[in-house]
Amino acid sequence: MRWTLLLLCLAGLAACATTPETPMTKPTTVVGTAENAKGGAVLLVDDVPLYVVGLDAWPDELLHRRVQVTAVRARKQVLPEATVDASGAVSQGAVGQQDVLEGASWQLAE
């Protein structure tokens, strides 16, 4: 009986858990520093870049400033994958997925 109850509790917790790979569907609001990277505009939150999907660069008036962004947070590949040619030269790119903000709206943070 105790084992059954424990297993049911663990199954319930696992069903409610959100992993980085789990897509979020509700917008969330995050505050960070607006910066530009080779892959596009990012919001730095605790030194972690969140790529703003569809924004190549921040407007000059927001660059290097604290910005509040409301968007759906997800994890997906938005940067090209690095490749290695026959001679062993490695291209610029990233491995795997990135943390992104989709459908973003933003304003200067107070």
Side-chain angles (χ1 to χ4, degrees):
M1 176 73 172
R2 262 202 291 186
W3 286 107
T4 303
L5 184 57
L6 177 62
L7 289 173
L8 286 173
C9 288
L10 289 174
L13 287 172
C16 294
T18 301
T19 64
E21 295 79 24
T22 302
M24 308 268 300
T25 56
K26 292 185 179 181
T28 186
T29 300
V30 290
V31 177
T33 305
E35 297 292 344
N36 292 330
K38 283 186 178 184
V42 296
L43 185 70
L44 286 180
V45 178
D46 297 326
D47 293 326
V48 175
L50 303 176
Y51 284 85
V52 182
V53 174
L55 186 61
D56 293 329
W58 287 101
D60 289 340
E61 65 270 12
L62 297 178
L63 190 59
H64 311 303
R65 299 188 69 187
R66 286 184 51 79
V67 175
Q68 175 179 310
V69 177
T70 301
V72 174
R73 193 168 174 173
R75 185 156 177 80
K76 62 194 259 183
Q77 183 153 1
V78 294
L79 299 176
E81 190 80 25
T83 59
V84 180
D85 69 14
S87 69
V90 180
S91 71
Q92 289 189 357
V95 176
Q97 300 178 330
Q98 294 78 45
D99 293 316
V100 300
L101 298 168
E102 295 183 307
S105 62
W106 52 83
Q107 64 185 23
L108 198 57
E110 303 276 328

